Amino acid sequence: MTSRVTFVSPATSPSLRCARFYDGDSVDAVGAARARSAAGSLRSPGLVLTSPSVRCRETAAALGLDGAQTPELGGLDVGRWRGRTLEEVAAADPEAVGRWLSDPDWAAHGGESVRDACERVGRWLESLRDSDGRTVAVVEPEVVRAAVVQVLGLPTAVFWRLDVPPLTATELSGRAGRWNLRLGQPLATSDGIPDTAAGSTSAG
């Protein structure tokens, strides 16, 4: 049996464009239009899932996908930094930001550590090892990073060095617990232009 998972990152939102820690905002007009233009570009899945966030659910809907919210695929919980820009947090507490970016076990912001997020996503992937079929999951960029770290057995410290542009697909195919990886394929849009107008940031 072969399990195939396509992770799709959300379309652009205001928090993504200004490097603000996600605070529940919706996709912006450009992101929504790009997602609608890419509807039908994904192979028909047997199962559609989404991160619980508003922008992932809206991206899925714009792509014509009816997905079930999956808590295990939620974005990284940044605790009290939620809604603030990375620049604001760095100005107020540069030492904390430095620890957050370099120490995967650090979670003094009151949220979740990078290591815990990676292990959470890893457990979800492990639950698929004996399944057969195709899954599309519209998820926060951190979930894509965590999945790549887990399937390649990378050191957790590389988490923030993985860039996940908006509205791109990262594909996994696995059999007997071993995964192959295809990174960051832009979704085809009706105008032929991929949605790479804004790069992924640590905060967005």
Side-chain angles (χ1 to χ4, degrees):
M1 293 186 294
T2 300
S3 180
R4 294 178 172 83
V5 182
T6 299
F7 290 110
V8 177
S9 54
T12 52
S13 67
S15 60
L16 182 65
R17 290 187 182 276
C18 69
R20 186 175 72 241
F21 291 102
Y22 185 61
D23 58 1
D25 62 6
S26 294
V27 299
D28 58 28
V30 171
R34 290 289 183 180
R36 288 193 297 270
S37 183
S41 63
L42 296 165
R43 293 180 62 182
S44 180
L47 180 64
V48 178
L49 305 172
T50 74
S51 292
S53 64
V54 171
R55 66 185 178 189
C56 285
R57 290 186 279 118
E58 290 179 343
T59 298
L63 289 168
L65 302 171
D66 184 11
Q69 296 181 51
T70 306
E72 294 87 349
L73 297 179
L76 180 68
D77 179 2
V78 295
R80 64 178 178 273
W81 292 355
R82 181 180 169 91
R84 301 170 67 186
T85 67
L86 183 60
E87 184 178 51
E88 289 169 345
V89 176
D93 196 346
E95 182 178 350
V97 172
R99 286 287 305 276
W100 176 65
L101 292 173
S102 61
D103 181 357
D105 293 308
W106 190 90
H109 49 37
E112 181 181 31
S113 73
V114 167
R115 189 178 306 280
D116 285 345
C118 288
E119 291 177 351
R120 165 168 56 84
V121 173
R123 288 191 295 271
W124 179 81
L125 285 168
E126 182 68 16
S127 73
L128 299 181
R129 65 179 299 165
D130 295 324
S131 65
D132 191 20
R134 184 177 299 276
T135 298
V136 169
V138 182
V139 297
E140 291 297 323
E142 309 96 82
V143 175
V144 182
R145 292 186 181 106
V148 172
V149 166
Q150 292 297 108
V151 301
L152 295 183
L154 298 174
T156 313
V158 308
F159 181 88
W160 291 122
R161 297 175 65 184
L162 302 172
D163 191 32
V164 184
L167 210 62
T168 56
T170 299
E171 300 178 8
L172 304 179
S173 61
R175 180 178 298 177
R178 176 174 176 171
W179 295 94
N180 292 324
L181 175 67
R182 177 178 292 178
L183 285 171
Q185 301 298 306
L187 299 185
T189 59
S190 60
D191 59 10
I193 303 174
D195 185 19
T196 55
S200 173
T201 67
S202 299

